Amino acid sequence: MTGRARARTRARARGQETGPPGVVRSREAVAAAAVPSESELFGRGRQKCTPGAAAQEAVQHISVGFQRVKLGERGGRCGDFHDAGVNTRQAMEHVKDSKTGTTGSAIQLTANYMRIISRPQWALYQYHVDYKPPMEARRLRSALLFQHEETLGSARSFDGAVLFLPHKLPNKETVLHSETRHGEKVQITVTLTNELPPTSPVCLQFYNIIFRRILRMLNMQQIGRNYYSPNDPLNIPQHRLTIWPGFSTAILQYEKSIMLNTDVSHKVLRSETVLDLMLNLRHKCGDQRFAEACAKELIGVVVLTKYNNKTYRIDDIAWDHTPTNTFKRGDAEVSFKEYYKTQYSLDITDSNQALLVSHVKRMGPPGAAPPGPAMLIPEFCYLTGMTDKMRADYNIMKDLATHTRLDPERRQGRLNRFISNINDNADAQAELNTWGLGFENQLLTLTGRVLPGERISQGSRMFEYNPWQADWSREMRGVPLISSPALTTWLLLYTRRNTNEAQALLQGLHKVTGPLGIRMDRPVMIEYEDHQESLLRALQHNVGPQVQMVVVVLPSNRKDKYDSIKKYLCVDCPTPSQCVLSRTLSKPQTIMTVATKIALQMSCKMGGELWSVEIPLKTLMIVGIDCYHDTSCGKRSIGALVASLNQGMTRWYSKCVLQDRGQEIMDGLKMALIGALKDYLKFNDCLPSRIIIYRDGVGDGMLQSVVNYEVPQILESIGSMGQDYMPKLTVVVVKKRINSRFFTQINGKVTNPPPGTVIDVEVTRPEWYDFYIVSQAVRQGSVSPTHYNVVYDTSGLKPDHLQRLTYKLCHMYYNWQGIVRVPAPCQYAHKLAFLVGQSIHKVPSVHLDDYLFYL
């Protein structure tokens, strides 16, 4: 197709309604596609001995797992991923007509969204497609189905399980017969499940399927939810890493139009297979410790199988299973070797390698028995992501950041190139025209608002900060804090080789505490041997009820040593504590800055109040909730709740609960919320008249659970304080992991919006009372906004007031002298849940409930 012809078809698609497709022949491949070259890579060695014993569960359920694994259920989208069916705004009278604020100065923004400017105007028919025997490879499923073009027509959209057609087949159930190129006969059953008018929300799913096909036409490959370009890799050979650049995409109904949201994404791959790693471990550890070393290195790791571009989490290693083992597929027994040969044209070179076990989630019809695990071949599994050791390596992270942390100009440039690539690709345009879909060829422009900067109150002084830097560490130097307990009895523990660092810290603290208004006496100095038992013994012998604070100088960042300190001082002998790495204290030029931060941390851990901002609402309680999943203790969940106790939001009540997998997080936090209300009553001689809860840690597709389950639990907790007690309640879901990005132009240069930028138009959802705030400033890369979704509100607060209050709370996190990305109670709850999940693994003592001991 020539450029002029493409332009004509684009104009026709965008300017007028089109008839049902079928005249223009689809360019979808009909023959079974060849397996990509990456999936033909083989392992480079052999396992030398016979494998050991496998987990019994793996043995019993292998065949079940292989029979039930279906496309879209292993790493693909599942459930209502975008929470599209949850309509919360209709229940809130005060925002039914308008949910936008007015405060602040207007700012012109560009967002990473593109409008859909034309779409199909006919009914779509949705079919479920089933294969007997089951076919795992999506390309093979498509090729087998598309052998029947005379029945289905040339215009169709198929994602491996769901088929969309613009016309209705004669029968509700159509049975087709196909044959693979190896001569295997396959029965395909196509069943009508839905008839969709053009206005149906399910059509959005169809648009997303079409757009994913466009991405495949651009030679991109799906991994998890996103698409990446394996033909355009960014190699970092010195670290044996490869980065695949790609994009996240989603088409949804926004405020005034359906839009495509797209953002730059990167997939970090390691250039070694699991088999390579296992062989290296055998070489290093020998046969005796080989199984233990493999389990330690591999369990919990996410791997990529390039034959189907899916990611799996390794849950176990089946030592007594090799590729020669068989499993039941349909009515026949088939070996793993034969399976990979027939399904993916892959030859397994090492017949003695043990298999990897991955427990597949959400498979089979609702109410069906749980599936067995998927068994993976190590030589076909590529390691993804980075180890903790790699993350701790400054050089690796620095080299990665040059490729992945794109500043606004580079990010916007890459998005514009992506749009151009779609417009310039003849196949992509022909496919869009076939279905009558058309996108705007530029990013969305909209108007945001910049909220006025806050005045910080510290002691008797009030000061302003540079709004672009969102930091007041310079301004608060030498200014007394609001209040700080006198530190008269405290311990400083150090090793002999860190004596100089301990003395440097002590001198620095005495210099900075005076101007901050902190009275600090000389500590009891305790030297301990550099091993865990000696440190624990020193704590047991010296920490008593009279000790206000324990400071420990650690020679290294060994996790076990840090964990033992926190476990003892948070559970067994509740005392606020502060750990400092000797390396942090070794640079004389930074010791005063470090001493200031440590003095502030020590003060607020004992109940000190550092600074505040003006909060006009009286008798208000702010609550933050977050959770952490502790994989070391059988996948338990830790829920944390942090609630304000005073008008200035400077004192907080903190509580966490440990729960087993599958339990709702609010089951345990109900008692925590009651405890917070009782503590508020003790502090203020009254209960709060207004409660605002910021709920962080809500995953994709969990919004319905928050609305239907958590909100009633919260109301029940409040009701338990007395029949007459009915405070105004607001519940806000806070989401940080989002793909929305906003840019602005200053002096002709694309840059990040300033802190305090609010967006509550165009890119919000019509069925929600939601808004975005860019609260923090970043020195590198593009700033990430935070999404706030008000799911329950009886307070009647104007959108302006809630947005202003939310932004004010981002100033109140005492571990950072600046604005953070989420309201302070959310960040506090995150810190508490993380400390318990990472280090303590037990509920901290109730004696610490009124202190920020976890900072």
Side-chain angles (χ1 to χ4, degrees):
M1 186 185 281
T2 64
R4 188 173 296 174
R6 273 201 309 276
R8 276 201 303 272
T9 56
R10 272 204 297 272
R12 191 161 55 241
R14 293 176 182 181
Q16 62 189 49
E17 293 181 14
T18 53
V23 181
V24 181
R25 180 178 167 79
S26 168
R27 293 173 178 262
E28 186 76 43
V30 177
V35 178
S37 59
E38 292 90 45
S39 56
E40 289 168 1
L41 297 170
F42 301 132
R44 291 197 290 273
R46 292 178 176 275
Q47 199 167 306
K48 299 295 182 194
C49 72
T50 53
Q56 190 63 33
E57 183 193 9
V59 178
Q60 292 170 348
H61 293 299
I62 291 166
S63 61
V64 187
F66 265 88
Q67 285 168 15
R68 291 201 187 160
V69 174
K70 288 193 175 130
L71 181 109
E73 294 168 343
R74 296 181 295 175
R77 296 175 190 271
C78 33
D80 189 3
F81 174 69
H82 295 288
D83 299 300
V86 186
N87 190 333
T88 49
R89 185 178 170 186
Q90 62 187 2
M92 301 178 227
E93 288 293 334
H94 62 296
V95 289
K96 264 188 178 176
D97 297 330
S98 172
K99 61 177 181 180
T100 57
T102 55
T103 304
S105 52
I107 184 171
Q108 290 303 307
L109 301 169
T110 305
N112 58 339
Y113 291 80
M114 285 189 296
R115 286 192 186 94
I116 287 187
I117 52 177
S118 70
R119 58 195 181 110
Q121 298 299 318
W122 57 82
L124 275 172
Y125 298 90
Q126 182 180 337
Y127 292 86
H128 177 73
V129 184
D130 207 30
Y131 292 78
K132 190 177 180 182
M135 295 287 120
E136 310 303 338
R138 186 164 86 175
R139 287 188 176 184
L140 181 56
R141 291 161 76 96
S142 299
L144 291 169
L145 181 66
F146 295 164
Q147 287 176 13
H148 303 278
E149 187 169 317
E150 72 285 352
T151 304
L152 303 175
S154 60
R156 69 257 158 160
S157 175
F158 181 57
D159 72 350
V162 177
L163 172 70
F164 288 103
L165 294 176
H167 57 271
K168 196 172 183 179
L169 297 177
N171 302 315
K172 185 176 179 183
E173 186 175 283
T174 305
V175 178
L176 306 169
H177 297 276
S178 295
E179 190 174 308
T180 69
R181 57 186 174 184
H182 298 290
E184 185 179 12
K185 294 201 166 14
V186 181
Q187 179 181 302
I188 305 171
T189 307
V190 181
T191 309
L192 178 68
T193 56
N194 216 345
E195 187 173 328
L196 308 168
T199 53
S200 167
V202 183
C203 287
L204 293 174
Q205 180 191 352
F206 161 69
Y207 300 154
N208 279 289
I209 292 169
I210 292 295
F211 198 80
R212 291 203 290 272
R213 190 188 295 180
I214 299 298
L215 294 172
R216 289 197 292 276
M217 288 175 176
L218 298 177
N219 296 319
M220 301 181 83
Q221 293 184 8
Q222 185 176 9
I223 301 176
R225 294 172 183 154
N226 301 336
Y227 276 77
Y228 299 91
S229 298
N231 301 328
D232 192 20
L234 305 164
N235 292 309
I236 310 177
Q238 66 271 33
H239 306 306
R240 295 190 69 192
L241 292 174
T242 300
I243 302 169
W244 282 8
F247 295 92
S248 64
T249 63
I251 297 172
L252 285 171
Q253 174 70 56
Y254 292 95
E255 210 64 53
K256 292 178 180 174
S257 55
I258 296 173
M259 291 193 284
L260 165 71
N261 170 231
T262 178
D263 192 30
V264 175
S265 177
H266 295 93
K267 193 74 182 173
V268 178
L269 304 174
R270 283 141 71 183
S271 50
E272 59 178 338
T273 64
V274 172
L275 184 59
D276 295 335
L277 178 65
M278 292 174 84
L279 293 170
N280 288 334
L281 287 173
R282 177 181 288 284
H283 182 70
K284 280 183 194 172
C285 306
D287 289 351
Q288 200 171 354
R289 290 183 50 240
F290 175 58
E292 182 191 341
C294 282
K296 191 175 177 183
E297 283 285 331
L298 291 172
I299 290 176
V301 167
V302 174
V303 295
L304 169 73
T305 49
K306 289 189 178 178
Y307 51 80
N308 61 356
N309 281 316
K310 294 206 177 296
T311 51
Y312 301 84
R313 183 184 184 276
I314 299 175
D315 295 305
D316 203 353
I317 303 170
W319 291 108
D320 64 348
H321 270 67
T322 68
T324 56
N325 278 79
T326 61
F327 62 92
K328 197 172 176 75
R329 185 161 178 262
D331 299 325
E333 288 284 328
V334 61
S335 74
F336 289 96
K337 232 175 173 178
E338 295 162 347
Y339 170 80
Y340 280 94
K341 180 68 178 173
T342 56
Q343 283 286 321
Y344 301 108
S345 303
L346 288 173
D347 291 307
I348 294 174
T349 59
D350 185 346
S351 298
N352 290 322
Q353 58 190 304
L355 303 189
L356 308 172
V357 181
S358 179
H359 295 299
V360 184
K361 294 180 185 176
R362 292 200 189 187
M363 294 185 304
M375 309 297 286
L376 308 171
I377 309 297
E379 74 175 79
F380 297 149
C381 295
Y382 284 79
L383 295 158
T384 70
M386 295 179 295
T387 61
D388 291 338
K389 187 179 175 185
M390 293 165 80
R391 284 193 181 90
D393 189 315
Y394 172 78
N395 291 321
I396 291 178
M397 297 308 290
K398 184 184 173 188
D399 292 341
L400 267 178
T402 57
H403 296 293
T404 59
R405 283 198 181 170
L406 304 179
D407 61 37
E409 197 146 17
R410 285 170 66 200
R411 186 179 289 267
Q412 190 170 319
R414 197 173 286 185
L415 292 171
N416 285 327
R417 279 200 304 279
F418 177 56
I419 296 169
S420 300
N421 289 344
I422 295 171
N423 288 334
D424 295 342
N425 186 290
D427 289 348
Q429 286 305 310
E431 184 67 25
L432 288 172
N433 295 334
T434 298
W435 293 97
L437 272 176
F439 293 88
E440 228 173 24
N441 59 0
Q442 61 183 26
L443 296 177
L444 177 75
T445 56
L446 70 160
T447 303
R449 292 175 290 114
V450 182
L451 297 177
E454 294 294 329
R455 286 169 60 81
I456 306 297
S457 170
Q458 189 171 317
S460 58
R461 278 190 55 187
M462 293 190 81
F463 54 82
E464 294 178 349
Y465 56 89
N466 182 339
W468 276 94
Q469 290 180 348
D471 180 295
W472 51 86
S473 51
R474 286 176 182 271
E475 286 81 358
M476 73 176 291
R477 276 184 196 162
V479 180
L481 306 175
I482 295 172
S483 73
S484 181
L487 189 53
T488 54
T489 311
W490 63 292
L491 312 180
L492 178 57
L493 285 79
Y494 61 96
T495 60
R496 180 168 295 176
R497 65 184 173 129
N498 295 140
T499 305
N500 293 339
E501 286 86 352
Q503 289 296 338
L505 172 62
L506 200 54
Q507 289 168 17
L509 286 172
H510 281 299
K511 284 179 185 175
V512 302
T513 49
L516 289 170
I518 304 171
R519 184 193 147 201
M520 184 180 284
D521 292 351
R522 190 167 178 80
V524 176
M525 306 285 285
I526 299 166
E527 188 180 301
Y528 68 94
E529 297 293 324
D530 187 12
H531 55 84
Q532 192 173 320
E533 294 76 16
S534 171
L535 175 55
L536 202 53
R537 207 161 40 243
L539 291 172
Q540 288 165 347
H541 289 168
N542 294 283
V543 181
Q546 75 286 355
V547 174
Q548 296 169 279
M549 170 66 62
V550 178
V551 178
V552 184
V553 178
L554 292 169
S556 68
N557 60 351
R558 272 185 54 183
K559 186 177 181 297
D560 57 348
K561 205 174 283 186
Y562 176 83
D563 291 356
S564 66
I565 295 167
K566 291 298 179 183
K567 207 172 284 184
Y568 182 72
L569 294 176
C570 291
V571 180
D572 303 328
C573 185
T575 311
S577 59
Q578 179 69 45
C579 294
V580 194
L581 278 175
S582 60
R583 188 178 64 223
T584 310
L585 304 168
S586 60
K587 297 173 185 173
Q589 65 271 27
T590 61
I591 193 67
M592 294 303 285
T593 306
V594 170
T596 302
K597 288 184 181 293
I598 290 171
L600 293 173
Q601 271 189 303
M602 289 168 67
S603 176
C604 60
K605 283 181 179 182
M606 295 188 301
E609 301 169 62
L610 307 191
W611 65 78
S612 68
V613 294
E614 186 192 359
I615 308 284
L617 296 170
K618 307 298 180 190
T619 60
L620 164 69
M621 177 193 265
I622 300 288
V623 179
I625 296 174
D626 202 354
C627 55
Y628 176 84
H629 302 293
D630 182 4
T631 52
S632 67
C633 293
K635 297 182 180 174
R636 285 191 307 188
S637 290
I638 291 98
L641 178 144
V642 176
S644 64
L645 295 173
N646 63 346
Q647 170 68 25
M649 307 292 158
T650 57
R651 295 299 305 272
W652 300 89
Y653 169 89
S654 309
K655 199 76 176 170
C656 81
V657 292
L658 277 66
Q659 298 194 162
D660 293 326
R661 188 180 185 181
Q663 246 187 305
E664 291 287 350
I665 211 72
M666 275 313 295
D667 287 350
L669 289 179
K670 272 171 69 177
M671 294 310 297
L673 181 55
I674 293 167
L677 288 166
K678 287 178 178 175
D679 219 20
Y680 188 98
L681 178 62
K682 188 174 74 179
F683 254 74
N684 302 279
D685 294 326
C686 68
L687 286 166
S689 63
R690 191 187 299 268
I691 301 170
I692 298 177
I693 296 176
Y694 289 94
R695 170 67 160 99
D696 205 343
V698 176
D700 298 321
M702 283 175 58
L703 194 62
Q704 192 77 62
S705 168
V706 173
V707 174
N708 291 351
Y709 186 81
E710 293 190 14
V711 171
Q713 296 280 79
I714 291 165
L715 291 168
E716 194 180 313
S717 301
I718 293 169
S720 70
M721 298 300 291
Q723 284 186 342
D724 299 333
Y725 180 53
M726 295 178 66
K728 294 173 179 175
L729 175 67
T730 305
V731 180
V732 186
V733 170
V734 181
K735 209 159 185 190
K736 302 184 292 288
R737 291 186 180 180
I738 54 175
N739 294 322
S740 302
R741 294 289 182 274
F742 301 101
F743 318 105
T744 190
Q745 280 217 347
I746 294 174
N747 299 326
K749 186 184 176 187
V750 179
T751 185
N752 286 314
T757 300
V758 175
I759 301 97
D760 55 8
V761 295
E762 298 274 7
V763 294
T764 49
R765 303 268 284 270
E767 70 274 23
W768 295 348
Y769 171 17
D770 62 331
F771 56 91
Y772 295 86
I773 299 182
V774 175
S775 52
Q776 79 283 26
V778 295
R779 292 174 185 167
Q780 187 182 14
S782 303
V783 72
S784 296
T786 303
H787 184 246
Y788 297 92
N789 183 6
V790 185
V791 296
Y792 184 87
D793 188 18
T794 59
S795 73
L797 273 180
K798 291 179 182 176
D800 251 341
H801 295 161
L802 188 59
Q803 292 167 7
R804 285 289 302 274
L805 177 64
T806 302
Y807 184 50
K808 282 173 182 286
L809 291 168
C810 295
H811 293 68
M812 292 302 299
Y813 180 60
Y814 283 164
N815 218 10
W816 177 253
Q817 294 125 292
I819 312 175
V820 292
R821 195 177 164 192
V822 293
C826 289
Q827 193 64 24
Y828 287 139
H830 168 74
K831 286 285 283 187
L832 174 57
F834 186 79
L835 175 69
V836 173
Q838 277 278 303
S839 302
I840 304 175
H841 309 296
K842 290 181 181 178
V843 175
S845 167
V846 293
H847 297 293
L848 296 172
D849 283 355
D850 291 344
Y851 301 101
L852 298 173
F853 64 92
Y854 41 83
L855 289 189

